[in-house]
Amino acid sequence: TTVKMFINNVDVTAQTTLTPSSATAGSIELNYTLSGALADGQYTVIVNGTSSLPGGGELTATEIFTKDTVAPVVVINSIADSDGDGYPEAQETLTLAYTVTDANPIRVWIDQASSTTFPSSNLVYGVAQGNAVGNRNVVVYAVDAAGNVGQSAQFHIYNNYLAYINE
């Protein structure tokens, strides 16, 4: 039995350990930890080999993946409020202009308001999307294809700007 492993067309067989599950099972564990963790990026892994077991022959398997450990960066560029007083308030409709920086963004959201438009767009955040009564600090979140979650700087939503009390 012979096995070779390639990562992005580089033969890394010498940096792997090969452990047969048994002398007759026909499966192996191929471990590439001798060189440490892979850096973020796109990878094509090809494993090929020949088996001396009956019915074995030559086999090849290919996996393509992206390693991403960096969370999206979320920036709120502006907030427009529906009553036009310049203060984001509970129960009014807010239009949040955002920019998300990430190689593979999937979704940006606050409560039930969400978008899949990147890198920049608007979120409409009103009562139907969760802008309920109460003074509070909130953030906008974004998630990427690897499941990394980033968030914006927090901003304050006033219960009623004219009678604001920080509770």
Side-chain angles (χ1 to χ4, degrees):
T1 301
T2 61
V3 176
K4 289 194 173 217
M5 180 175 177
F6 299 85
I7 299 178
N8 292 346
N9 296 318
V10 175
D11 187 345
V12 296
T13 306
Q15 290 85 35
T16 63
T17 57
L18 176 67
T19 308
S21 59
S22 74
T24 59
S27 63
I28 61 167
E29 178 182 313
L30 189 60
N31 193 339
Y32 179 72
T33 59
L34 299 176
S35 292
L38 294 172
D40 281 12
Q42 187 167 1
Y43 293 93
T44 300
V45 178
I46 300 171
V47 177
N48 60 38
T50 56
S51 173
S52 58
L53 296 173
E58 187 173 318
L59 300 170
T60 298
T62 302
E63 290 293 329
I64 298 171
F65 65 93
T66 300
K67 181 177 179 186
D68 177 3
T69 60
V70 178
V73 175
V74 183
V75 175
I76 302 302
N77 302 312
S78 65
I79 302 172
D81 60 319
S82 59
D83 67 6
D85 66 2
Y87 296 97
E89 296 169 295
Q91 295 190 299
E92 74 175 335
T93 300
L94 305 176
T95 302
L96 311 171
Y98 66 85
T99 300
V100 174
T101 304
D102 191 83
N104 303 291
I106 297 294
R107 184 171 72 102
V108 61
W109 77 92
I110 179 172
D111 287 337
Q112 287 81 44
S114 69
S115 175
T116 56
T117 303
F118 300 101
S120 299
S121 191
N122 295 316
L123 283 172
V124 176
Y125 181 51
V127 173
Q129 295 81 29
N131 189 5
V133 173
N135 287 313
R136 63 195 180 282
N137 291 319
V138 295
V139 296
V140 173
Y141 298 94
V143 65
D144 65 17
N148 302 308
V149 177
Q151 67 183 43
S152 68
Q154 72 178 15
F155 59 94
H156 191 79
I157 294 182
Y158 301 93
N159 189 51
N160 179 337
Y161 182 70
L162 297 177
Y164 171 64
I165 299 172
N166 191 6
E167 304 172 313

